[in-house]
Amino acid sequence: MTIADLLSIDDLGGADGIEDVLRLTDSFVEVTERSIPRVPALRGKTVASLFYEDSTRTRMSFETAAKRLSADTMSFSVASSSVKKGESLRDTALTIEAMGVDAIVVRHSSSGAPHRVAGWVDAAVVNAGDGWHEHPTQALLDCYTIRQRLGGLGGLHIMIVGDVKHSRVARSDVAAFSALGAEVTLVAPPTLLPPSLEGWPVRVSHDLDTVLPGADVVYLLRMQQERMTEALLPTLREYTTRYGLSRRRAERLGAGAVVMHPGPMNRGVEIAPEVADLPQAAIIDQVRNGVAVRMAVLYLLLGSGPEKVPTAERLVEQAGVA
Amino acid sequence: MAERERRSAPPYGGVFVPRTRVMERDDLHRAIWRMAHEIIERNHGLDGVELIGLQTGGVAVAERLGEALFAIEQVSLPVQTLDVAFYRDDIGLRPVLPEAVTDITADLDGKIVVLVDDVLFTGRTIRAALNALGDYGRPRAVQLAVMIDRGHRELPIRPDFVGKNLPTRRDEVVDVHADGVDLGEMRK
């Protein structure tokens, strides 16, 4: 499998492509468990991270992944850059590319920003989260974590609970989980669901307590208070009462069930403080697997030969898809 | 099966077409036993010896060597496996994906590592394997056992234990399998 960019889960071409990444991740998990967790695979390559939004774990995860592949890393954060002086996204991307980078990891608050960057530069572009759109490497590490705990995703019942509307993680997860054969149920109040779910391969519930007993995986989303511009909930406490994973609700889960969260957690809002530390919680595993998954993605993008097709062709290709 | 060699031999994605059978099943069996005796002789027994098969073709050969070593010395050497994909020098020239997860459980410091592969060709896989081993420890010595040495070396690497020396053309492909060894070509 060769891919030029990873902008959305669909770029992997369905279940086979996702499985390829997960298989490759197995090899990188072995690498990260060694006393010297580093391989020379991407020596001489440079990976730049271009983050227009705050992030600790994703940025550190990508940079750790690049370093463990022996690539050089460059870090660009908006707070300390010429974006403050009014530089456009395009100029910033072209400037970074002119310094000789092979991959650019982009996070942006606007949906579609990484797609635009991919059209401007020849370097491989990885979407590290764009607006409400997608966060493909998060979905891949979620799939890997579920596969590690439960053996596979086929036939599983996965509940994605919370603020689906503002969640790029939910969009990528729905695409990846259903591609691998899981049945996904979105559990949220109507105001926190997207206006239209047409074409989403999901079921919807507004009542966590009725669907919880059948869940193999409970995936809690963070309440994204910084993205809420209107009053979507009466109070946060009411949300916690109806949709938070309390100790009492967690006790009704099967012993083999898995509790996940993309982080950062609001303990006491979507998840009770002590529930995050139960054996069923795979939240730390998710972070740990994130490095290996991102190593696999960078290796696939930079280590597998054929160069990216020229920019003009790519634009036509993208126009054809749209 | 010489999957690694097959994948890297043009035309890419072609099919291996065998032309000549160069070793029969019995020949393979005898070669394994002779190599097992040589390994024991060279190392005065099997103390501190670790057997590591290279993914994927070398693993089957290593397992057969392990069985022969056990039959001769009553010492059981678990076969460990190494995939050298991330250490190759042709990453970026063509797709190089690992065939399987590396499984090295022993501490290699001060040990004698016997690397096992099916076919020795340019020597680049062995170069990569030597670099990879360095990340797992510092063996006292590394020895190389291959079923077929087909020549065309591009690096100063030589085997310690050889099943058969087989003169080949560069564009030919050697296939080591359970029933013997075939020489042939890749065809579209």
Side-chain angles (χ1 to χ4, degrees):
Chain A
M1 179 182 63
T2 53
I3 50 169
D5 303 295
L6 180 64
L7 304 174
S8 74
I9 282 293
D10 285 347
D11 287 349
L12 295 171
D16 288 348
I18 298 171
E19 296 278 9
D20 282 351
V21 177
L22 302 186
R23 259 195 304 279
L24 183 56
T25 303
D26 283 332
S27 290
F28 285 115
V29 166
E30 187 271 327
V31 171
T32 59
E33 284 167 353
R34 296 185 202 166
S35 54
I36 306 171
R38 179 187 285 254
V39 289
L42 296 186
R43 215 171 34 176
K45 305 277 187 186
T46 304
V47 177
S49 51
L50 176 55
F51 276 53
Y52 280 82
E53 231 184 41
D54 294 336
S55 157
T56 346
R57 73 193 62 217
T58 306
R59 175 204 285 262
M60 280 173 63
S61 183
F62 268 110
E63 287 180 2
T64 306
K67 286 184 174 133
R68 287 183 174 176
L69 290 165
S70 303
D72 296 312
T73 55
M74 289 195 328
S75 187
F76 177 101
S77 68
V78 171
S80 59
S81 73
S82 41
V83 171
K84 285 237 152 131
K85 300 172 189 162
E87 191 175 55
S88 71
L89 175 63
R90 181 167 190 270
D91 288 335
T92 305
L94 292 177
T95 303
I96 290 181
E97 187 179 42
M99 292 176 192
V101 305
D102 302 282
I104 305 180
V105 180
V106 183
R107 165 164 293 192
H108 202 286
S109 55
S110 296
S111 303
H115 290 73
R116 297 289 287 161
V117 173
W120 293 323
V121 301
D122 283 331
V125 176
V126 185
N127 181 358
D130 60 333
W132 302 354
H133 176 232
E134 282 228 35
H135 192 355
T137 57
Q138 177 73 43
L140 291 169
L141 72 89
D142 291 337
C143 291
Y144 189 83
T145 305
I146 295 172
R147 175 174 168 273
Q148 198 175 46
R149 287 264 178 145
L150 302 177
L153 277 83
L156 293 187
H157 294 275
I158 302 181
M159 313 292 149
I160 299 180
V161 186
D163 183 5
V164 177
K165 179 174 181 172
H166 300 95
S167 176
R168 54 194 173 214
V169 173
R171 283 170 182 77
S172 289
D173 272 346
V174 166
F177 293 166
S178 52
L180 295 180
E183 283 185 32
V184 182
T185 306
L186 303 178
V187 188
T191 49
L192 290 182
L193 287 170
S196 165
L197 285 168
E198 224 180 280
W200 288 47
V202 294
R203 283 186 269 185
V204 175
S205 166
H206 303 307
D207 183 5
L208 182 58
D209 287 309
T210 49
V211 294
L212 203 55
D216 297 302
V217 177
V218 182
Y219 198 103
L220 303 162
L221 297 169
R222 183 170 65 92
M223 284 305 287
Q224 306 201 30
Q225 294 163 62
E226 75 275 17
R227 285 188 217 279
M228 289 196 196
T229 48
E230 55 204 300
L232 298 171
L233 292 169
T235 66
L236 217 48
R237 246 175 80 192
E238 183 179 324
Y239 175 83
T240 304
T241 311
R242 294 197 55 196
Y243 296 97
L245 191 64
S246 61
R247 172 113 223 178
R248 189 179 51 78
R249 288 196 174 109
E251 277 163 6
R252 293 172 53 214
L253 287 169
V258 182
V259 176
M260 298 172 75
H261 192 295
M265 280 184 281
N266 296 314
R267 283 190 196 234
V269 182
E270 65 266 1
I271 187 164
E274 66 274 24
V275 171
D277 304 319
L278 292 176
Q280 288 109 314
I283 298 160
I284 293 299
D285 293 358
Q286 287 174 276
V287 179
R288 189 177 301 123
N289 291 332
V291 174
V293 163
R294 289 175 176 120
M295 286 171 85
V297 167
L298 290 174
Y299 184 78
L300 274 177
L301 289 171
L302 298 182
S304 57
E307 283 176 34
K308 198 160 158 171
V309 286
T311 311
E313 279 177 41
R314 235 180 315 132
L315 287 174
V316 173
E317 209 174 67
Q318 283 171 1
V321 172
Chain B
M1 296 291 233
E3 189 58 39
R4 203 183 322 118
E5 191 180 335
R6 201 174 299 171
R7 200 173 292 182
S8 60
Y12 302 120
V15 196
F16 174 70
V17 181
R19 186 165 27 82
T20 328
R21 175 60 59 97
V22 289
M23 282 176 97
E24 295 294 343
R25 198 188 175 87
D26 288 348
D27 301 328
L28 215 52
H29 181 76
R30 291 182 197 109
I32 291 277
W33 274 76
R34 176 177 48 77
M35 290 162 76
H37 279 289
E38 286 173 357
I39 290 170
I40 295 162
E41 184 184 7
R42 165 81 74 91
N43 298 306
H44 311 287
L46 292 173
D47 265 4
V49 173
E50 301 284 343
L51 208 51
I52 298 184
L54 295 181
Q55 293 284 6
T56 48
V59 176
V61 178
E63 275 163 2
R64 296 187 64 176
L65 269 177
E67 288 162 16
L69 291 170
F70 180 76
I72 300 164
E73 285 286 286
Q74 309 302 313
V75 176
S76 165
L77 292 185
V79 172
Q80 305 176 75
T81 65
L82 174 63
D83 190 293
V84 300
F86 306 138
Y87 294 84
R88 293 199 64 99
D89 56 5
D90 43 7
I91 288 172
L93 299 179
R94 57 189 175 78
V96 181
L97 287 179
E99 319 272 355
V101 179
T102 292
D103 178 23
I104 294 183
T105 44
D107 179 5
L108 301 183
D109 286 346
K111 298 289 178 56
I112 298 169
V113 169
V114 178
L115 277 181
V116 185
D117 207 356
D118 51 352
V119 180
L120 179 60
F121 185 20
T122 61
R124 286 181 189 270
T125 302
I126 304 304
R127 200 275 315 156
L130 291 172
N131 281 19
L133 281 184
D135 285 355
Y136 290 92
R138 185 184 178 282
R140 182 153 65 82
V142 181
Q143 298 166 359
L144 175 60
V146 297
M147 183 47 69
I148 300 288
D149 180 355
R150 57 168 296 191
H152 304 286
R153 212 80 76 242
E154 294 169 2
L155 296 168
I157 280 170
R158 55 145 187 80
D160 299 273
F161 314 104
V162 184
K164 185 181 176 65
N165 281 296
L166 181 67
T168 56
R169 289 196 323 266
R170 268 201 92 89
D171 58 343
E172 288 172 315
V173 170
V174 178
D175 186 24
V176 178
H177 51 86
D179 289 329
V181 179
D182 292 324
L183 186 61
E185 282 98 22
M186 299 299 289
R187 300 245 177 84
K188 262 288 182 208

